[in-house]
Amino acid sequence: MKVRNADVMIVGCGVAGLFAALHLPKDKQILMITKEDLKSSDSFLAQGGICVLHDEQDYDSFMEDTLKAGHYENRRESVDIMIRSSRETINELIAWGVDFAVENGELLYTREGGHSRPRILYHEDITGEEITRNLLREVQKLPNVTILEHTAMVDILEQDNCCFGILMQGERGLEAVAAPYTIWACGGIGGLYEHSTNFPHLTGDALAIALKHGIELEHPDYVQIHPTTLYSSRPGRRFLISESVRGEGARLYGKNMERFANEVLPRDILTKEIRKQMEKDGMPYVWLDMRPLGEKQIRTHFPHIYEHCLEEGFDVTKECIPVVPAQHYFMGGVRVDRNSRTSIDNLYAAGETSCNGVHGANRLASNSLLESLVFAKRAALCIAKGLEENRETPDITALLKAREADGSLSLFDDMEALAQSYASMVKKEISRQV
């Protein structure tokens, strides 16, 4: 089997993986892989925006809004780290070319569900794409970073509770990567659901590998449903109608065109209200009315939502659209500490794959991009210190021969069966915890 060598292995090319790569030493070799192509990351799909501490007086309310949305099951230390790191993170993004909305030279802030005041920066209605595209461009400039598309992680290389790299399956077949440090930044679990806003290839592979190796998980049953996705009778990924649409004044109506809930309730509470109204009406959706925003606001702030709805046959400047809740985000995951370290040595996790306790039982809108960036950077800085120590790695060839001798390498011959097995493993763990 071919063995590649790297100083740091990053699994995933969304905002968490990219931000980590940008904060690792430039004299170290970094290998990044993504299961599909570079644009098939949920980071590209984030619409609404990214939170930031508006000013020093905003700290208490930002903290309380996050805790309240998370039903006070959050780790306060992690929330504090995220909030206090937010302005520095935004300044870095701007320096790397991210174009947030401004007016008269000042950043514009919008509000979404669960927020007591506007503190969300945005780029039209494709904030995630704007951030991810710019970070990807910067990473691709780095001569020490290699990115492989259409390459899946199928296992880690572990010895004595320490990770020394991964096994991956790509265009060259099964390969091993020997690396002193590994970062899991490979997204969520939306592909396990019939109706989800996520890409279908995101099936919780890291969680399955964690279960296999006894790596600690936290709250695998904490799955967030987004209240408003565009209703369709067709199967496949659901199109998200951003939280900020309601934050800017859109209204929800039942079958009789009467409002039934406060549109800026936290996501889990509003989802319950929508489902209750759907049951009452005997309808598979409720109506969302964007017309109160006005045509100019719709076309300038939400141009891509407007265009997509037009493609589906709805003109949101003139009529309501049918919306329905769908699986959206995973608040649980691989348990990590304040520096994104997992329960085994030299393995880190960031982004939706991880659970650092920021979100508690329910994520506050637009905290996901910020949380991913802040804790990915912390992982990178922690790894950078470790790389200075020049730790020795075991003989990877010997590890592989041992696995081959016990027959475990043959498990990866049938990748489709392996993927199904992983999906089944994660589904079982989620349902077991509920």
Side-chain angles (χ1 to χ4, degrees):
M1 178 188 299
K2 180 178 174 63
V3 178
R4 291 175 180 258
N5 290 283
D7 294 302
V8 184
M9 176 74 234
I10 301 178
V11 184
C13 294
V15 293
L18 295 170
F19 211 57
L22 287 168
H23 288 90
L24 288 167
K26 302 301 185 286
D27 62 339
K28 301 299 182 181
Q29 292 303 308
I30 301 164
L31 177 61
M32 303 182 72
I33 63 171
T34 181
K35 201 173 178 183
E36 293 292 328
D37 61 87
L38 285 171
K39 291 190 176 180
S40 295
S41 156
D42 274 4
S43 296
F44 272 93
L45 302 178
Q47 291 179 348
I50 180 171
C51 293
V52 64
L53 183 66
H54 196 289
D55 48 53
E56 287 304 315
Q57 290 69 43
D58 185 35
Y59 178 87
D60 289 340
S61 60
F62 194 168
M63 172 68 77
E64 175 60 20
D65 289 347
T66 301
L67 296 177
K68 184 177 180 181
H71 299 276
Y72 299 96
E73 294 188 32
N74 324 60
R75 279 188 241 163
R76 281 180 174 265
E77 179 191 35
S78 295
V79 180
D80 175 74
I81 288 170
M82 181 190 72
I83 293 173
R84 295 189 186 281
S85 304
S86 62
R87 185 58 66 175
E88 177 185 338
T89 302
I90 293 301
N91 290 340
E92 284 190 86
L93 294 178
I94 292 172
W96 276 317
V98 176
D99 183 23
F100 292 115
V102 296
E103 186 173 72
N104 299 323
E106 299 292 328
L107 291 167
L108 287 176
Y109 299 85
T110 188
R111 181 187 175 202
E112 297 183 6
H115 290 269
S116 57
R117 65 173 294 183
R119 63 168 68 90
I120 298 163
L121 303 177
Y122 61 93
H123 176 90
E124 297 176 349
D125 52 355
I126 52 168
T127 308
E129 180 179 333
E130 171 69 9
I131 292 174
T132 313
R133 180 175 55 80
N134 279 277
L135 294 181
L136 178 59
R137 184 193 63 240
E138 294 302 312
V139 169
Q140 288 176 320
K141 293 178 183 177
L142 299 174
N144 64 313
V145 177
T146 300
I147 301 177
L148 301 178
E149 297 181 281
H150 306 288
T151 304
M153 172 181 63
V154 295
D155 204 353
I156 59 171
L157 300 173
E158 181 210 354
Q159 187 177 64
D160 300 327
N161 199 49
C162 187
C163 178
F164 295 104
I166 70 165
L167 287 177
M168 65 183 188
Q169 177 79 23
E171 295 175 352
R172 299 185 184 182
L174 188 65
E175 296 182 83
V177 180
Y181 293 93
T182 298
I183 301 175
W184 282 346
C186 37
I189 58 173
L192 302 178
Y193 289 79
E194 182 180 1
H195 301 296
S196 173
T197 63
N198 296 184
F199 281 108
H201 65 272
L202 299 174
T203 50
D205 299 352
L207 274 68
I209 294 171
L211 287 168
K212 174 183 174 183
H213 290 270
I215 300 167
E216 189 176 356
L217 302 183
E218 184 170 7
H219 300 310
D221 56 320
Y222 284 3
V223 180
Q224 185 177 73
I225 308 299
H226 197 285
T228 52
T229 68
L230 187 63
Y231 171 77
S232 174
S233 59
R234 299 191 301 271
R237 185 168 63 84
R238 293 288 169 257
F239 181 75
L240 185 72
I241 305 297
S242 171
E243 191 100 31
S244 57
V245 167
R246 286 176 279 112
E248 292 290 335
R251 297 288 180 256
L252 287 168
Y253 301 121
K255 181 172 68 174
N256 297 324
M257 305 309 290
E258 295 179 353
R259 288 178 70 189
F260 59 87
N262 177 353
E263 287 82 4
V264 292
L265 288 170
R267 288 176 176 175
D268 58 336
I269 298 174
L270 185 57
T271 293
K272 290 178 182 177
E273 293 298 318
I274 290 174
R275 285 178 167 165
K276 189 189 304 180
Q277 188 65 36
M278 286 164 55
E279 184 176 353
K280 177 182 175 182
D281 291 343
M283 298 286 287
Y285 54 80
V286 295
W287 294 105
L288 179 70
D289 187 4
M290 293 178 62
R291 291 173 296 183
L293 280 64
E295 184 171 346
K296 181 180 178 181
Q297 173 76 334
I298 290 171
R299 287 176 175 269
T300 56
H301 191 161
F302 305 108
H304 298 84
I305 292 176
Y306 168 71
E307 290 167 7
H308 184 90
C309 289
L310 270 184
E311 292 172 2
E312 295 290 329
F314 301 101
D315 185 345
V316 295
T317 66
K318 298 177 181 177
E319 59 187 328
C320 298
I321 55 174
V323 295
V324 64
Q327 188 279 335
H328 180 56
Y329 198 82
F330 185 44
M331 284 84 60
V334 179
R335 180 181 172 84
V336 296
D337 66 9
R338 68 201 306 268
N339 289 316
S340 300
R341 290 179 293 211
T342 71
S343 61
I344 74 169
D345 294 337
N346 296 7
L347 177 64
Y348 293 71
E352 201 172 348
T353 301
S354 70
C355 181
N356 52 44
V358 161
H359 305 305
N362 177 57
R363 177 171 68 83
L364 180 66
S366 285
N367 264 351
S368 56
L369 289 170
L370 177 62
E371 175 260 320
S372 294
L373 295 168
V374 167
F375 286 89
K377 178 179 177 179
R378 293 180 72 85
L381 297 181
C382 193
I383 288 171
K385 291 181 180 178
L387 286 168
E388 294 174 0
E389 300 174 10
N390 293 318
R391 297 177 182 174
E392 292 186 8
T393 58
D395 185 345
I396 297 300
T397 303
L399 279 178
L400 293 173
K401 284 182 177 179
R403 292 189 62 165
E404 189 172 16
D406 66 21
S408 60
L409 278 180
S410 64
L411 295 172
F412 307 104
D413 290 341
D414 187 345
M415 293 306 299
E416 185 174 347
L418 181 68
Q420 292 174 353
S421 173
Y422 276 179
S424 175
M425 192 183 300
V426 176
K427 280 183 178 179
K428 185 181 294 184
E429 182 66 12
I430 292 170
S431 62
R432 185 181 71 79
Q433 297 284 338
V434 174

